[in-house]
């Protein structure tokens, strides 16, 4: 899989860009704030329908276009793809429209997104899977040290690129969870009735059981590949890495007396019963019933995959608490390389690699392993402020593009090929 051509209109600091991309590695070189990362962000957005940087999608629209006062502003990201299944064109449109009239409380603008595949408008969910990417960022260390929500987002982002059924279940689960929580809040305030609560609970259990099972399988497979890479290729057999999926399928989570071993045992149970939804449903339903009194008091659902987490252990110790900075970097690299191999094994079509200033964060051994993967990838796009960080042999097989001022006077990108 690779992107043969990228077109941007009113995206970030690009007014207009037409950029052909080769299959060989592409190195985007330039000073800070010139638009290198924005190109990676655009490709990632097409693959996942979300930005790794922006808090909301309206921030992605070119600010000069947004300030122009035009009634309709359209930002476009368009990519031509070559995959094992053939050629296709994918596009995302970011549309900001001025609201007519002066109704009280009405916002001056509304915002919507449109997904397009082969010139046909589709649901946002149907855009996912057309383009698959693996993104490397310096802040990937947060996968080790950051919040559980970030780690859940990582699982969901990878799985949604690969599994449309999982993504639909996740979307439906979030809606059912929102409805159940809204009713629980009303009940906690002494309002409403409990007649519809079992309906929402059954929906949360049905969909959540499928999410639990899929995540357990994914983390098991990803963990095996990360262990192989870490043990054999990164540490010469000196360190063992383990990914532990921690499903919130019991009342006592890690913060309330539960142990890692208990939650790991639940993960193994989920994996072993992943084709038996009735068994998982029964257990989830029983736990939800046990937690009902707590949920009614708190006004929120305390059990379910929306509370999941996972952690990384090195030689049996929690990396977030006991690992060195170097061990954390090695573990994140093992995780990301495992992700590449997992996606490739699932589809027989390697993903596009996007790497934002990652080489500068790695020592010689880790950088050499990463560059080896890049050279064997179907396509890799990297950013750097200094191309001399890369070996001469690597640069011989790399297309170097200089990003200098994402907007020119004509509002087109200045990308110069060397």
């Amino acid at each position: 899989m690779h992107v043969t051509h990228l077109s941007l209109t009113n995206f970030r600091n690009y007014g207009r860009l037409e950029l052909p991309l080769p299959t060989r590695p592409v190195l985007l070189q330039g000073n800070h704030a010139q638009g290198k990362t924005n190109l990676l962000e655009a490709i990632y957005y097409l693959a996942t329908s979300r930005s790794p940087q922006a808090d909301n999608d309206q921030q992605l629209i070119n600010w000069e276009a947004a300030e122009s006062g035009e009634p309709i502003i359209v930002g476009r990201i368009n990519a031509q793809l070559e995959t094992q299944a053939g050629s296709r064109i994918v596009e995302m449109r970011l549309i900001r429209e001025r609201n007519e009239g002066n109704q009280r409380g009405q916002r001056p603008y509304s915002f919507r997104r449109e997904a397009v595949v082969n010139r046909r408008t589709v649901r946002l969910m149907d855009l996912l899977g057309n383009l698959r990417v693996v993104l490397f960022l310096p802040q990937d260390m947060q996968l080790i040290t950051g919040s559980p929500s970030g780690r859940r987002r990582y699982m969901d982002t990878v799985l949604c690129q690969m599994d449309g059924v999982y993504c639909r279940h996740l979307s439906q689960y979030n809606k059912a969870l929102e409805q159940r929580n809204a009713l629980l809040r009303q009940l906690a305030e002494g309002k409403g009735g409990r007649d519809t609560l079992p309906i929402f609970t059954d929906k949360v259990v049905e969909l959540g059981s499928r999410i639990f099972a899929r995540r357990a399988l994914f983390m098991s497979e990803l963990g095996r590949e990360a262990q192989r890479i870490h043990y054999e290729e990164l540490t010469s057999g000196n360190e063992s890495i383990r990914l532990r999926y921690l499903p919130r399928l019991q009342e006592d989570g890690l913060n309330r007396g539960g142990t890692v071993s208990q939650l790991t045992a639940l993960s193994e149970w989920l994996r072993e019963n992943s084709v038996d939804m009735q068994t998982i449903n029964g257990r989830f339903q029983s736990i939800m019933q046990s937690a009902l009194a707590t949920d009614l008091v708190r006004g929120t659902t305390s059990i379910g995959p929306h509370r999941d987490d996972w952690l990384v252990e090195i030689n049996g110790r929690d990396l977030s608490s006991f690992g060195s900075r170097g061990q954390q970097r090695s573990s994140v690299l093992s995780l990301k390389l495992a992700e590449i191999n997992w996606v490739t094994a699932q589809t027989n079509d390697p993903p596009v690699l996007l790497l934002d200033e990652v080489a500068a964060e790695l020592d010689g051994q880790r950088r050499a392993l990463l560059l080896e993967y890049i050279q064997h990838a179907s396509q890799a796009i990297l950013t750097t402020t200094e191309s001399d960080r890369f070996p001469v042999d690597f640069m011989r097989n790399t297309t170097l593009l200089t990003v200098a001022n994402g907007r020119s006077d004509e509002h087109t990108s200045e990308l110069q090929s060397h």
Side-chain angles (χ1 to χ4, degrees):
M1 172 174 289
H2 63 274
V3 179
T4 60
H5 192 276
L6 179 67
S7 175
L8 302 181
T9 303
N10 292 329
F11 180 81
R12 291 292 199 182
N13 66 333
Y14 292 97
R16 181 72 179 172
L17 170 71
E18 300 293 337
L19 180 64
L21 290 167
T23 55
R24 65 192 302 191
V26 175
L27 183 60
L28 304 173
Q29 178 187 3
N31 294 327
H32 294 295
Q34 298 300 302
K36 305 185 302 298
T37 299
N38 296 343
L39 294 175
L40 302 189
E41 181 182 30
I43 296 172
Y44 182 84
Y45 193 85
L46 274 179
T48 67
S49 76
R50 64 174 63 184
S51 165
Q53 310 286 350
D55 295 328
N56 64 76
D57 290 336
Q58 294 192 58
Q59 296 173 357
L60 304 177
I61 295 178
N62 177 275
W63 71 271
E64 283 193 349
E67 295 294 322
S68 66
E70 293 292 329
I72 301 177
I73 305 296
V74 179
R76 285 189 176 90
I77 312 168
N78 179 292
Q80 298 177 20
L81 311 178
E82 289 292 337
T83 73
Q84 294 281 14
S87 303
R88 69 189 67 163
I89 300 174
V90 294
E91 181 174 322
M92 182 69 87
R93 299 169 183 167
L94 311 172
I95 304 169
R96 197 191 76 166
E97 300 175 298
R98 181 183 296 165
N99 291 325
E100 299 296 334
N102 296 309
Q103 298 181 20
R104 186 173 182 179
Q106 183 183 38
R107 294 182 178 181
Y109 293 96
S110 59
F111 179 83
R112 59 189 171 90
R113 304 188 295 173
E114 287 183 358
V116 180
V117 177
N118 290 335
R119 299 184 174 86
R120 182 174 64 90
T121 302
V122 299
R123 297 177 304 170
L124 285 176
M125 197 172 299
D126 293 330
L127 179 74
L128 305 177
N130 285 280
L131 170 62
R132 292 181 292 274
V133 302
V134 174
L135 176 66
F136 293 72
L137 296 170
Q139 56 265 40
D140 284 338
M141 294 280 283
Q142 291 295 312
L143 290 173
I144 305 295
T145 60
S147 67
S149 62
R151 288 185 285 272
R152 287 193 296 272
R153 190 180 308 115
Y154 171 76
M155 287 191 292
D156 292 340
T157 299
V158 177
L159 282 169
C160 277
Q161 289 188 74
M162 301 295 300
D163 189 341
V165 173
Y166 172 87
C167 208
R168 284 194 295 275
H169 288 158
L170 180 65
S171 176
Q172 292 165 0
Y173 174 84
N174 288 332
K175 290 177 183 176
L177 179 68
E178 183 179 353
Q179 291 171 321
R180 187 176 193 269
N181 285 342
L183 180 55
L184 286 171
R185 286 193 296 271
Q186 290 180 357
L187 294 173
E189 296 169 357
K191 304 174 184 177
R194 293 175 58 169
D195 294 347
T196 56
L197 185 59
I199 298 174
F200 296 141
T201 300
D202 289 347
K203 199 67 175 175
V204 165
V205 168
E206 176 194 354
L207 296 165
S209 295
R210 297 182 182 279
I211 295 169
F212 277 136
R214 189 68 181 96
R215 286 179 178 176
L217 278 173
F218 167 63
M219 293 303 292
S220 175
E221 293 167 353
L222 189 70
R224 282 197 299 271
E225 184 60 19
Q227 158 65 2
R228 185 194 66 76
I229 292 170
H230 196 84
Y231 187 82
E232 296 178 5
E233 300 182 24
L234 264 180
T235 65
S236 302
N238 291 321
E239 288 184 356
S240 177
I241 188 175
R242 182 174 184 181
L243 271 60
R244 288 186 182 261
Y245 171 46
L246 309 175
R248 189 61 183 272
L249 189 53
Q250 64 178 40
E251 287 192 76
D252 292 329
L254 285 179
N255 296 326
R256 298 184 59 231
T259 66
V260 169
S261 60
Q262 288 174 339
L263 297 183
T264 301
L266 273 175
S267 174
E268 289 300 310
W269 180 84
L270 284 166
R271 184 181 61 80
E272 292 168 359
N273 290 278
S274 59
V275 296
D276 185 2
M277 284 298 108
Q278 186 175 355
T279 297
I280 298 175
N281 284 355
R283 183 165 188 163
F284 194 4
Q285 188 73 256
S286 176
I287 297 298
M288 288 286 278
Q289 187 61 38
S290 299
L292 180 57
T294 300
D295 291 354
L296 287 169
V297 171
R298 294 183 175 180
T300 190
T301 304
S302 58
I303 308 296
H306 61 287
R307 302 289 303 279
D308 280 355
D309 199 0
W310 55 272
L311 60 80
V312 179
E313 289 181 346
I314 293 292
N315 294 336
R317 307 182 73 181
D318 184 353
L319 185 60
S320 64
S321 301
F322 300 102
S324 68
R325 192 76 171 171
Q327 286 176 317
Q328 291 175 352
R329 285 199 180 99
S330 291
S331 297
V332 169
L333 181 58
S334 297
L335 177 69
K336 287 290 185 172
L337 297 182
E339 182 186 342
I340 295 169
N341 291 348
W342 183 82
V343 171
T344 303
Q346 296 291 312
T347 63
N348 197 32
D349 196 359
V352 176
L353 310 187
L354 307 173
L355 304 98
D356 190 20
E357 293 285 357
V358 174
E361 298 286 320
L362 302 176
D363 62 19
Q365 179 189 2
R366 300 184 188 101
R367 187 182 302 124
L369 179 60
L370 177 59
L371 294 182
E372 181 180 344
Y373 271 73
I374 289 170
Q375 289 174 318
H376 289 92
S378 60
Q379 186 175 42
I381 305 172
L382 307 83
T383 71
T384 186
T385 55
E386 301 175 12
S387 60
D388 57 8
R389 293 179 181 273
F390 296 86
V392 173
D393 288 344
F394 176 79
M395 293 303 297
R396 286 196 186 102
N397 298 312
T398 299
T399 298
L400 177 64
L401 299 176
T402 300
V403 181
N405 184 15
R407 300 179 311 254
S408 70
D409 289 340
E410 293 78 23
H411 301 286
T412 59
S413 173
E414 296 178 354
L415 288 176
Q416 301 170 346
S417 179
H418 294 272

Short mmCIF file of all heavy atoms in Angstrom, two decimals, residues 9-11 45 57-62 66 70-77 91-99 108-116 121 124:
data_model
loop_
_atom_site.label_atom_id
_atom_site.label_comp_id
_atom_site.label_asym_id
_atom_site.label_seq_id
_atom_site.Cartn_x
_atom_site.Cartn_y
_atom_site.Cartn_z
N THR A 9 -6.01 21.24 0.08
CA THR A 9 -6.62 22.55 -0.16
C THR A 9 -7.08 23.12 1.19
O THR A 9 -7.84 22.47 1.91
CB THR A 9 -7.82 22.44 -1.10
OG1 THR A 9 -7.42 21.83 -2.33
CG2 THR A 9 -8.41 23.82 -1.39
N ASN A 10 -6.56 24.29 1.52
CA ASN A 10 -6.95 24.97 2.77
C ASN A 10 -6.78 24.06 3.99
O ASN A 10 -7.64 24.01 4.88
CB ASN A 10 -8.40 25.48 2.70
CG ASN A 10 -8.57 26.60 1.70
OD1 ASN A 10 -7.65 27.38 1.47
ND2 ASN A 10 -9.75 26.69 1.11
N PHE A 11 -5.68 23.36 4.04
CA PHE A 11 -5.39 22.49 5.18
C PHE A 11 -4.16 23.02 5.91
O PHE A 11 -3.09 23.13 5.31
CB PHE A 11 -5.14 21.05 4.71
CG PHE A 11 -4.85 20.09 5.84
CD1 PHE A 11 -5.86 19.55 6.60
CD2 PHE A 11 -3.54 19.77 6.17
CE1 PHE A 11 -5.60 18.68 7.64
CE2 PHE A 11 -3.25 18.90 7.21
CZ PHE A 11 -4.28 18.36 7.96
N TYR A 45 -4.88 11.58 8.99
CA TYR A 45 -6.29 11.94 9.10
C TYR A 45 -7.13 11.16 8.08
O TYR A 45 -8.24 10.71 8.39
CB TYR A 45 -6.44 13.44 8.90
CG TYR A 45 -7.80 13.99 9.29
CD1 TYR A 45 -8.07 14.34 10.60
CD2 TYR A 45 -8.80 14.15 8.34
CE1 TYR A 45 -9.31 14.85 10.97
CE2 TYR A 45 -10.04 14.65 8.70
CZ TYR A 45 -10.29 15.00 10.01
OH TYR A 45 -11.52 15.49 10.37
N ASP A 57 -11.51 19.46 14.86
CA ASP A 57 -11.22 19.42 13.43
C ASP A 57 -11.23 20.79 12.77
O ASP A 57 -10.60 20.98 11.73
CB ASP A 57 -12.23 18.51 12.72
CG ASP A 57 -12.02 17.04 13.08
OD1 ASP A 57 -10.90 16.69 13.47
OD2 ASP A 57 -12.98 16.26 12.99
N GLN A 58 -11.95 21.75 13.34
CA GLN A 58 -11.97 23.08 12.74
C GLN A 58 -10.59 23.73 12.73
O GLN A 58 -10.31 24.60 11.90
CB GLN A 58 -12.97 23.97 13.48
CG GLN A 58 -14.41 23.52 13.33
CD GLN A 58 -15.40 24.55 13.82
OE1 GLN A 58 -15.41 25.69 13.33
NE2 GLN A 58 -16.22 24.18 14.79
N GLN A 59 -9.73 23.30 13.65
CA GLN A 59 -8.37 23.84 13.69
C GLN A 59 -7.55 23.45 12.46
O GLN A 59 -6.50 24.04 12.20
CB GLN A 59 -7.65 23.36 14.95
CG GLN A 59 -8.28 23.84 16.25
CD GLN A 59 -7.63 23.19 17.47
OE1 GLN A 59 -6.76 22.34 17.36
NE2 GLN A 59 -8.09 23.59 18.65
N LEU A 60 -8.01 22.44 11.73
CA LEU A 60 -7.27 21.96 10.57
C LEU A 60 -7.44 22.85 9.35
O LEU A 60 -6.66 22.78 8.41
CB LEU A 60 -7.70 20.53 10.22
CG LEU A 60 -7.57 19.49 11.35
CD1 LEU A 60 -8.11 18.14 10.88
CD2 LEU A 60 -6.12 19.36 11.80
N ILE A 61 -8.48 23.67 9.34
CA ILE A 61 -8.72 24.54 8.19
C ILE A 61 -7.70 25.67 8.17
O ILE A 61 -7.41 26.29 9.19
CB ILE A 61 -10.15 25.11 8.23
CG1 ILE A 61 -11.17 23.97 8.07
CG2 ILE A 61 -10.36 26.15 7.14
CD1 ILE A 61 -12.61 24.43 8.14
N ASN A 62 -7.14 25.93 7.00
CA ASN A 62 -6.17 26.99 6.82
C ASN A 62 -6.67 28.29 7.43
O ASN A 62 -7.78 28.74 7.14
CB ASN A 62 -5.90 27.17 5.32
CG ASN A 62 -4.95 28.31 5.02
OD1 ASN A 62 -5.38 29.45 4.91
ND2 ASN A 62 -3.68 28.00 4.88
N ALA A 66 -9.96 30.65 6.76
CA ALA A 66 -10.98 30.78 7.80
C ALA A 66 -11.27 32.23 8.15
O ALA A 66 -12.38 32.58 8.54
CB ALA A 66 -10.56 30.01 9.04
N GLU A 70 -15.43 34.37 3.84
CA GLU A 70 -16.26 33.68 2.85
C GLU A 70 -17.36 32.89 3.55
O GLU A 70 -17.14 32.32 4.63
CB GLU A 70 -15.39 32.73 2.01
CG GLU A 70 -14.38 33.43 1.13
CD GLU A 70 -15.06 34.22 0.01
OE1 GLU A 70 -16.15 33.80 -0.44
OE2 GLU A 70 -14.51 35.26 -0.38
N PRO A 71 -18.55 32.80 2.96
CA PRO A 71 -19.66 32.09 3.63
C PRO A 71 -19.40 30.59 3.77
O PRO A 71 -19.90 29.95 4.69
CB PRO A 71 -20.86 32.37 2.73
CG PRO A 71 -20.28 32.77 1.41
CD PRO A 71 -18.98 33.44 1.70
N ILE A 72 -18.65 30.00 2.83
CA ILE A 72 -18.34 28.58 2.89
C ILE A 72 -16.83 28.41 2.69
O ILE A 72 -16.27 28.90 1.70
CB ILE A 72 -19.10 27.78 1.82
CG1 ILE A 72 -20.61 27.93 2.00
CG2 ILE A 72 -18.71 26.30 1.89
CD1 ILE A 72 -21.42 27.22 0.95
N ILE A 73 -16.19 27.73 3.62
CA ILE A 73 -14.77 27.40 3.50
C ILE A 73 -14.66 25.87 3.47
O ILE A 73 -15.20 25.19 4.35
CB ILE A 73 -13.95 27.94 4.69
CG1 ILE A 73 -14.16 29.45 4.84
CG2 ILE A 73 -12.48 27.60 4.51
CD1 ILE A 73 -13.67 30.26 3.68
N VAL A 74 -13.96 25.36 2.47
CA VAL A 74 -13.79 23.91 2.35
C VAL A 74 -12.31 23.57 2.38
O VAL A 74 -11.53 24.06 1.55
CB VAL A 74 -14.42 23.38 1.05
CG1 VAL A 74 -14.21 21.87 0.95
CG2 VAL A 74 -15.91 23.72 0.98
N GLY A 75 -11.93 22.76 3.35
CA GLY A 75 -10.60 22.18 3.37
C GLY A 75 -10.68 20.77 2.81
O GLY A 75 -11.62 20.04 3.10
N ARG A 76 -9.70 20.41 2.00
CA ARG A 76 -9.72 19.08 1.38
C ARG A 76 -8.39 18.37 1.57
O ARG A 76 -7.33 18.98 1.44
CB ARG A 76 -10.02 19.18 -0.13
CG ARG A 76 -11.46 19.48 -0.49
CD ARG A 76 -11.67 19.33 -2.00
NE ARG A 76 -13.07 19.52 -2.38
CZ ARG A 76 -13.61 20.67 -2.70
NH1 ARG A 76 -12.87 21.77 -2.67
NH2 ARG A 76 -14.89 20.75 -3.03
N ILE A 77 -8.49 17.08 1.86
CA ILE A 77 -7.33 16.20 1.84
C ILE A 77 -7.68 15.08 0.88
O ILE A 77 -8.66 14.36 1.08
CB ILE A 77 -7.03 15.60 3.22
CG1 ILE A 77 -7.03 16.67 4.30
CG2 ILE A 77 -5.71 14.86 3.22
CD1 ILE A 77 -7.02 16.10 5.71
N GLU A 91 -10.80 10.85 0.05
CA GLU A 91 -10.82 12.29 0.30
C GLU A 91 -11.62 12.59 1.56
O GLU A 91 -12.62 11.92 1.85
CB GLU A 91 -11.45 13.01 -0.89
CG GLU A 91 -11.51 14.53 -0.74
CD GLU A 91 -12.00 15.22 -2.01
OE1 GLU A 91 -11.63 14.77 -3.12
OE2 GLU A 91 -12.76 16.20 -1.87
N MET A 92 -11.16 13.57 2.29
CA MET A 92 -11.90 14.10 3.42
C MET A 92 -12.10 15.59 3.19
O MET A 92 -11.15 16.32 2.87
CB MET A 92 -11.16 13.87 4.73
CG MET A 92 -11.91 14.37 5.95
SD MET A 92 -13.38 13.43 6.34
CE MET A 92 -12.65 12.15 7.37
N ARG A 93 -13.34 16.04 3.38
CA ARG A 93 -13.68 17.45 3.22
C ARG A 93 -14.07 18.02 4.58
O ARG A 93 -14.90 17.44 5.28
CB ARG A 93 -14.83 17.62 2.22
CG ARG A 93 -14.50 17.12 0.83
CD ARG A 93 -15.74 17.06 -0.05
NE ARG A 93 -15.42 16.51 -1.37
CZ ARG A 93 -16.33 16.11 -2.25
NH1 ARG A 93 -17.63 16.21 -1.95
NH2 ARG A 93 -15.96 15.62 -3.41
N LEU A 94 -13.48 19.14 4.91
CA LEU A 94 -13.78 19.86 6.15
C LEU A 94 -14.52 21.13 5.75
O LEU A 94 -13.94 22.03 5.12
CB LEU A 94 -12.49 20.20 6.90
CG LEU A 94 -11.50 19.04 7.07
CD1 LEU A 94 -10.18 19.54 7.64
CD2 LEU A 94 -12.09 17.96 7.96
N ILE A 95 -15.79 21.21 6.10
CA ILE A 95 -16.64 22.27 5.55
C ILE A 95 -17.15 23.16 6.68
O ILE A 95 -17.81 22.69 7.61
CB ILE A 95 -17.84 21.66 4.79
CG1 ILE A 95 -17.33 20.72 3.69
CG2 ILE A 95 -18.72 22.75 4.20
CD1 ILE A 95 -18.40 19.88 3.05
N ARG A 96 -16.82 24.44 6.58
CA ARG A 96 -17.33 25.43 7.54
C ARG A 96 -18.28 26.37 6.81
O ARG A 96 -17.90 26.98 5.81
CB ARG A 96 -16.20 26.23 8.17
CG ARG A 96 -16.63 26.95 9.45
CD ARG A 96 -15.58 27.94 9.91
NE ARG A 96 -15.59 29.14 9.09
CZ ARG A 96 -14.98 30.27 9.41
NH1 ARG A 96 -14.28 30.36 10.52
NH2 ARG A 96 -15.04 31.33 8.62
N GLU A 97 -19.50 26.48 7.32
CA GLU A 97 -20.53 27.28 6.66
C GLU A 97 -21.06 28.34 7.61
O GLU A 97 -21.27 28.06 8.80
CB GLU A 97 -21.69 26.39 6.19
CG GLU A 97 -21.27 25.32 5.19
CD GLU A 97 -22.41 24.38 4.86
OE1 GLU A 97 -22.89 23.70 5.78
OE2 GLU A 97 -22.82 24.33 3.68
N ARG A 98 -21.29 29.51 7.09
CA ARG A 98 -21.90 30.57 7.89
C ARG A 98 -23.38 30.29 8.07
O ARG A 98 -24.08 29.96 7.11
CB ARG A 98 -21.70 31.92 7.22
CG ARG A 98 -22.28 33.10 8.02
CD ARG A 98 -22.10 34.40 7.27
NE ARG A 98 -20.69 34.72 7.11
CZ ARG A 98 -20.24 35.63 6.25
NH1 ARG A 98 -21.08 36.26 5.44
NH2 ARG A 98 -18.94 35.89 6.18
N ASN A 99 -23.85 30.40 9.29
CA ASN A 99 -25.28 30.22 9.57
C ASN A 99 -26.02 31.51 9.26
O ASN A 99 -25.67 32.58 9.77
CB ASN A 99 -25.49 29.83 11.03
CG ASN A 99 -24.98 28.43 11.33
OD1 ASN A 99 -25.07 27.54 10.49
ND2 ASN A 99 -24.43 28.23 12.52
N PRO A 108 -22.29 31.47 14.88
CA PRO A 108 -22.16 32.11 13.56
C PRO A 108 -21.80 31.12 12.46
O PRO A 108 -22.08 31.36 11.29
CB PRO A 108 -21.05 33.14 13.77
CG PRO A 108 -20.29 32.67 14.97
CD PRO A 108 -21.30 31.99 15.85
N TYR A 109 -21.12 30.01 12.83
CA TYR A 109 -20.71 29.04 11.82
C TYR A 109 -21.06 27.63 12.29
O TYR A 109 -21.11 27.33 13.48
CB TYR A 109 -19.19 29.10 11.58
CG TYR A 109 -18.72 30.39 10.94
CD1 TYR A 109 -18.23 31.43 11.72
CD2 TYR A 109 -18.77 30.55 9.57
CE1 TYR A 109 -17.79 32.61 11.13
CE2 TYR A 109 -18.34 31.73 8.97
CZ TYR A 109 -17.86 32.75 9.76
OH TYR A 109 -17.43 33.91 9.17
N SER A 110 -21.31 26.76 11.32
CA SER A 110 -21.44 25.33 11.59
C SER A 110 -20.32 24.60 10.86
O SER A 110 -19.73 25.13 9.91
CB SER A 110 -22.80 24.81 11.11
OG SER A 110 -22.96 25.04 9.72
N PHE A 111 -20.04 23.40 11.31
CA PHE A 111 -18.91 22.64 10.76
C PHE A 111 -19.36 21.20 10.53
O PHE A 111 -20.07 20.61 11.34
CB PHE A 111 -17.73 22.67 11.74
CG PHE A 111 -16.52 21.90 11.26
CD1 PHE A 111 -15.62 22.47 10.39
CD2 PHE A 111 -16.31 20.60 11.68
CE1 PHE A 111 -14.52 21.76 9.94
CE2 PHE A 111 -15.21 19.88 11.25
CZ PHE A 111 -14.32 20.46 10.38
N ARG A 112 -18.95 20.65 9.43
CA ARG A 112 -19.23 19.24 9.16
C ARG A 112 -18.09 18.63 8.34
O ARG A 112 -17.27 19.34 7.76
CB ARG A 112 -20.56 19.06 8.42
CG ARG A 112 -20.64 19.78 7.08
CD ARG A 112 -22.05 19.74 6.52
NE ARG A 112 -22.20 20.59 5.35
CZ ARG A 112 -21.99 20.18 4.10
NH1 ARG A 112 -21.62 18.91 3.88
NH2 ARG A 112 -22.15 20.99 3.09
N ARG A 113 -18.07 17.30 8.33
CA ARG A 113 -17.06 16.56 7.57
C ARG A 113 -17.75 15.67 6.54
O ARG A 113 -18.83 15.15 6.79
CB ARG A 113 -16.21 15.69 8.50
CG ARG A 113 -15.55 16.47 9.61
CD ARG A 113 -14.56 15.58 10.37
NE ARG A 113 -15.21 14.48 11.07
CZ ARG A 113 -14.56 13.51 11.70
NH1 ARG A 113 -13.24 13.48 11.68
NH2 ARG A 113 -15.22 12.55 12.33
N GLU A 114 -17.09 15.48 5.42
CA GLU A 114 -17.57 14.56 4.41
C GLU A 114 -16.43 13.64 3.99
O GLU A 114 -15.32 14.09 3.72
CB GLU A 114 -18.08 15.30 3.16
CG GLU A 114 -19.40 16.01 3.34
CD GLU A 114 -19.88 16.65 2.04
OE1 GLU A 114 -19.15 16.55 1.03
OE2 GLU A 114 -20.97 17.24 2.06
N ALA A 115 -16.70 12.34 3.95
CA ALA A 115 -15.74 11.36 3.48
C ALA A 115 -16.12 10.92 2.08
O ALA A 115 -17.31 10.70 1.79
CB ALA A 115 -15.69 10.17 4.43
N VAL A 116 -15.13 10.78 1.22
CA VAL A 116 -15.37 10.42 -0.18
C VAL A 116 -14.39 9.31 -0.57
O VAL A 116 -13.18 9.43 -0.33
CB VAL A 116 -15.20 11.64 -1.12
CG1 VAL A 116 -15.45 11.25 -2.57
CG2 VAL A 116 -16.11 12.78 -0.69
N THR A 121 -19.57 9.85 -1.94
CA THR A 121 -19.67 10.19 -0.53
C THR A 121 -20.08 8.96 0.28
O THR A 121 -21.02 8.25 -0.09
CB THR A 121 -20.70 11.32 -0.31
OG1 THR A 121 -20.30 12.46 -1.08
CG2 THR A 121 -20.77 11.72 1.16
N LEU A 124 -18.35 8.26 7.43
CA LEU A 124 -16.99 8.38 7.94
C LEU A 124 -16.40 7.02 8.28
O LEU A 124 -15.22 6.76 8.04
CB LEU A 124 -16.98 9.29 9.18
CG LEU A 124 -17.14 10.79 8.94
CD1 LEU A 124 -17.21 11.51 10.28
CD2 LEU A 124 -15.99 11.33 8.11
#
